[in-house]
Amino acid sequence: MKDIEKINMYLLSEVAKLKSLTQGSFGLDSHILYDLYFDSVDLMDLLMAIENDLHIVIQDEDLETFTTLRSISNTIVHYTH
């Protein structure tokens, strides 16, 4: 399995836990505001989980690029390589 696939699976799993959703009810192209109804607390919770679990630090300016789960996944890939 490629790194991006692992990251995608991890991200989908974390969002499912955070938002109490079933996996499969959303996908990588789900918009974090309009589809998943993230608020600032949800985003910070997800960010903290990502940073703690994957041992990376995401810069504040990168948060502005977070629109879909795929955009978050792409940012994670950038920081893990």
Side-chain angles (χ1 to χ4, degrees):
M1 183 181 308
K2 294 181 182 178
D3 287 341
I4 187 71
E5 291 171 352
K6 289 180 184 177
I7 290 169
N8 290 343
M9 288 178 21
Y10 164 79
L11 186 58
L12 292 170
S13 174
E14 283 301 308
V15 170
K17 287 190 288 187
L18 179 67
K19 297 300 283 183
S20 300
L21 298 169
T22 58
Q23 288 194 16
S25 65
F26 63 96
L28 292 172
D29 293 317
S30 296
H31 196 281
I32 60 174
L33 295 177
Y34 306 123
D35 298 326
L36 299 172
Y37 306 105
F38 266 58
D39 59 21
S40 58
V41 173
D42 293 330
L43 185 57
M44 293 315 304
D45 287 345
L46 180 61
L47 181 62
M48 287 178 11
I50 291 167
E51 290 183 339
N52 288 331
D53 294 344
L54 302 180
H55 309 289
I56 60 175
V57 176
I58 296 175
Q59 300 300 313
D60 290 342
E61 58 268 10
D62 288 325
L63 297 177
E64 296 173 8
T65 67
F66 288 5
T67 54
T68 63
L69 295 181
R70 188 176 309 280
S71 68
I72 297 172
S73 178
N74 289 337
T75 299
I76 294 169
V77 167
H78 170 75
Y79 281 99
T80 58
H81 284 92

